[in-house]
Every structure is written in structure tokens, then in C-alpha cells.
Amino acid sequence: MKVGIVGATGEVGRQMQICLAERVKGIEELRLFASPKSAGQKIDFQGMECTVQVVKEGCFDGLDYVMGAVSNALSKEYRPMIEKAGAVYIDNSSAFRLEEDVPLVVPEINGDDALKNKGVIANPNCSTIITLMAVAAVHQNLSPIKKMVATTFQAVSGAGAGGPIELHEEVIAIEKGEPVQPKVFSAQIAYNCIPQIGSMNDNGYSTEEMKLQNEGRKILHAPEMDVNCTCVRVPVYRSHSISATFVTERPVSVEEAEEAISRFPGVKLIKDGLPMPIDTSDQDIVYVGRIRRDLTDPNGLVLWCCGDQVRKGAAANAVQILEYIEAHK
Ligand SMILES: NC(=O)c1ccc[n+]([C@@H]2O[C@H](COP(=O)([O-])OP(=O)(O)OC[C@H]3O[C@@H](n4cnc5c(N)ncnc54)[C@H](OP(=O)(O)O)[C@@H]3O)[C@@H](O)[C@H]2O)c1
């Protein structure tokens, strides 16, 4: 199998190499692409020396899969070249997620959708993946979710490789009594929370906040599910956390929900203790806990979940999509 990664030197692209090495056997060629700044850099992949290249005409020829880890604008620019080369494009940006002909896939939830691809598959938003992993067992096995109210607590690495550097530099500057100069984030992130991620829509919700409803409907095959979401950037290096309240068609007991969630692949129910981002970092399992009754609605439940957004929220999920397609050939 021949695989390419565009954005190979970024937060997701680097993790993609680790996930490919962990999960996929028989990669005979790994072609790495990044900006001119990184061109020529040598990266070891399972004993193979890969030289980072820039994207140019014909550079994707001969590849079976291209894993995308670049911005929306670059993903749109490179898509026609990848399609022309005949490779399957598994993209982490949000550029194509809502297109009808592009499956939007979390393999544990709607893996079969990936098999209907026409050359492009989208990896969902990171908080959406983690939240849906937590609630899918209830939606698919007990009672459909009609509506959900969620608040996300998103780690700085979700903003790319520059996020953790900015948090670290701000902590040091503050310790020294020096002023902080935010570049990646809109305000100081050290010792702070920023209650906006993405640009604002006319409806008062940000682009990031609307993803849970728009992408959630597509992944769960629930076109009428309504979602209110508030996205908050928090000074955590890695792993997003989400507080979710959801209302199902029929009342579901806490015990039923716990039983279903504990059996769902890729999810760990935490009954003794608390799911925390520090515990979910650097692995692919989503932790779910604090399941309790919603005191405002008899059909409602409340839970807390955490997951590594660079792994399960991006790179690992994308690699799982590749694995799913290969396993169903
Ligand atoms: N970080 C997350 O937790 C997360 C989660 C889910 C989805 N995503 C999405 O995944 C994508 C990548 O995010 P990231 O966090 O990995 O960003 P990042 O750390 O900023 O990395 C961006 C990558 O794009 C490369 N790049 C820049 N200009 C390029 C060009 N002209 N041609 C080819 N490559 C170029 C960069 O290369 P250089 O190093 O050479 O500049 C780098 O490898 C984004 O669409 C993001 O929204 C991120």
C-alpha cells in the first residue's frame, strides 16, 4: 500500500504517521508533503527515510490513499490533483464534510458510509467525534436522540502545532512578569478560558459550535436532531472534554445508558473516578462518566466525556477509516 500525508509536519500529520505505524501493516511507501519551509526535512517511518516534499503536479500519482492534514483552503486546492491521481482522499479539514457525495465517518458509528465513497471521505470535527462516540450507544441501541445541549472544553493543540507553544510561552512570560502577546488565540490562554472557537455566524453561534449539529445529524443519520453547543478553549495541552445533556425519544435510565455505553467499541465507561483529559491523552479511547438524570426533562440524560482530539478526534479516526475500507475490500 502506498500512502501520502499532506500537512505531514503539523500536529495531525505527525500523529498520522504514528497511527499508521501502529495500525496499518504493509505500507511500502509513505510520501510526506508540507510547506516549502519543511521541504527537504528527513523523517523516519518504520526504518524508511522519507523526505518532505512540496505539492506539485503529479506528486500524488501512484498513491492508494492520501491523508489530509492541512487547512480548508489548501485541501480544496489539492483535492482535484488527488482525485486525478486516483487515490482515496481522507481529509481532516472541514472543507467537504457536508457535501452530499462525501461520507463523513466515525468507523465505530457509521463505518459503512465510508464504503460508498466516490474518492473523498471526510473526517469529522474533533469535538463532534468525541461527543458522538459517547452518546452513539444510546442513540443507536436504546432510543434516538432528539436534541442535545453541549459545552466543549477544547485543548490548545486543537489549534495546531502553534497552540501548545503559545500556552507554554505565555506561562513562562507570566512567571517572569512579562506581557503576553497572543498570536494563535484571540486572547491570553494561560490561566484563562476563551468562550469562542472559530468565526461567528449570524445566529450567534460560531462555526465550530454549529459542527456538532450539522455533522452530528449526518453521522448519526438523524437529520432532525437539534443541538446547541458552546465551544470553549481551555489551557489544557491535549484532549478535549465535553459536557452533554441529551433528550431521547423515550426515557432511558442511567443504568441502561451505562450498560450500552460500556459495550460500545472505542469507549470506556468510568464509574469509579472521573474522566479527565490528562488520562485520555495519547490514546484512542473516549472516556465517559458522570452519567446522571437531566433534572429539567424526564427523557434527558447528562454525561461528561474526554478524548484525545489529535488521535481519535483526527489522526487515529482517519487511519481507522483507511483500515475499515481495506478490511471490507
Ligand atoms: N489539531 C487538531 O486537534 C485537529 C483536530 C481535527 C482536525 N484538525 C484539522 O486538521 C488540519 C491540520 O491541522 P493541524 O492542527 O495539524 O495544523 P498545523 O499543526 O498548523 O499543521 C499544518 C500543516 O499544514 C502544512 N502546510 C502549510 N502550508 C502548506 C502548503 N502550502 N502545502 C502543503 N502543506 C502545507 C504545514 O507544513 P509546515 O510545517 O511546513 O508549515 C503543516 O504540516 C486542519 O484542517 C485542522 O482544522 C486539527
Side-chain angles (χ1 to χ4, degrees):
M1 190 192 306
K2 296 185 179 182
V3 180
I5 301 176
V6 273
T9 51
E11 195 72 32
V12 176
R14 284 185 312 214
Q15 187 64 56
M16 205 92 84
Q17 294 161 50
I18 297 168
C19 293
L20 281 169
E22 285 171 357
R23 306 186 75 114
V24 182
K25 300 278 169 276
I27 296 182
E28 56 179 290
E29 184 186 348
L30 184 68
R31 236 176 268 171
L32 303 179
F33 302 94
S35 78
K37 181 183 91 188
S38 307
Q41 198 177 308
K42 310 267 187 224
I43 295 180
D44 177 78
F45 178 76
Q46 298 187 306
M48 283 191 277
E49 189 185 76
C50 310
T51 305
V52 177
Q53 327 175 16
V54 293
V55 174
K56 55 177 187 291
E57 207 49 52
C59 70
F60 301 116
D61 290 357
L63 294 175
D64 299 299
Y65 293 92
V66 175
M67 318 298 283
V70 289
S71 65
N72 287 4
L74 286 173
S75 191
K76 284 181 187 161
E77 187 183 328
Y78 298 154
R79 174 180 173 174
M81 295 166 73
I82 297 166
E83 286 180 311
K84 195 170 157 207
V88 174
Y89 185 31
I90 304 177
D91 180 34
N92 270 282
S93 84
S94 58
F96 318 117
R97 287 178 188 156
L98 299 181
E99 284 186 16
E100 211 176 308
D101 281 349
V102 175
L104 182 64
V105 179
V106 182
E108 294 89 340
I109 301 173
N110 66 329
D112 283 356
D113 287 355
L115 308 179
K116 298 176 199 141
N117 81 82
K118 295 187 173 149
V120 182
I121 302 168
N123 205 60
N125 165 260
C126 42
S127 301
T128 302
I129 293 178
I130 295 161
T131 310
L132 296 190
M133 283 292 289
V135 303
V138 173
H139 178 81
Q140 294 185 327
N141 303 333
L142 296 174
S143 178
I145 294 173
K146 285 166 54 185
K147 61 180 180 177
M148 174 153 54
V149 178
T151 304
T152 70
F153 302 75
Q154 299 188 209
V156 291
S157 50
I165 296 170
E166 184 146 308
L167 172 57
H168 183 67
E169 286 177 351
E170 285 185 358
V171 169
I172 290 172
I174 290 164
E175 298 300 321
K176 288 183 181 165
E178 293 170 0
V180 300
Q181 286 161 340
K183 292 185 285 290
V184 176
F185 301 110
S186 58
Q188 175 185 320
I189 186 63
Y191 311 110
N192 196 18
C193 295
I194 306 173
Q196 183 187 335
I197 302 177
S199 54
M200 278 296 176
N201 293 322
D202 291 342
N203 66 359
Y205 288 84
S206 71
T207 48
E208 183 81 357
E209 287 165 348
M210 291 311 298
K211 289 172 186 171
L212 188 54
Q213 173 169 284
N214 296 338
E215 298 182 21
R217 287 176 171 177
K218 185 168 173 177
I219 297 160
L220 293 179
H221 302 162
E224 286 168 10
M225 181 178 74
D226 291 324
V227 181
N228 276 348
C229 185
T230 304
C231 291
V232 184
R233 185 74 68 193
V234 295
V236 166
Y237 278 107
R238 198 146 155 156
S239 273
H240 291 351
S241 305
I242 300 100
S243 166
T245 300
F246 54 97
V247 174
T248 47
E249 261 176 39
R250 67 157 178 95
V252 172
S253 71
V254 169
E255 293 71 26
E256 276 181 293
E258 284 179 344
E259 167 70 8
I261 289 168
S262 69
R263 289 171 181 273
F264 202 74
V267 169
K268 184 171 177 180
L269 176 70
I270 307 290
K271 282 198 75 169
D272 299 321
L274 299 169
M276 289 186 282
I278 208 155
D279 299 320
T280 51
S281 296
D282 284 316
Q283 44 105 350
D284 298 337
I285 307 292
V286 172
Y287 285 18
V288 184
R290 300 220 47 215
I291 303 176
R292 57 205 191 275
R293 288 239 60 82
D294 173 5
L295 299 180
T296 71
D297 191 312
N299 285 19
L301 285 172
V302 187
L303 60 72
W304 172 265
C305 59
C306 302
D308 185 325
Q309 92 290 346
V310 187
R311 289 193 67 117
K312 183 57 190 164
N317 195 74
V319 171
Q320 281 180 284
I321 293 172
L322 181 158
E323 280 182 287
Y324 197 93
I325 296 172
E326 286 294 306
H328 290 82
K329 265 186 173 170

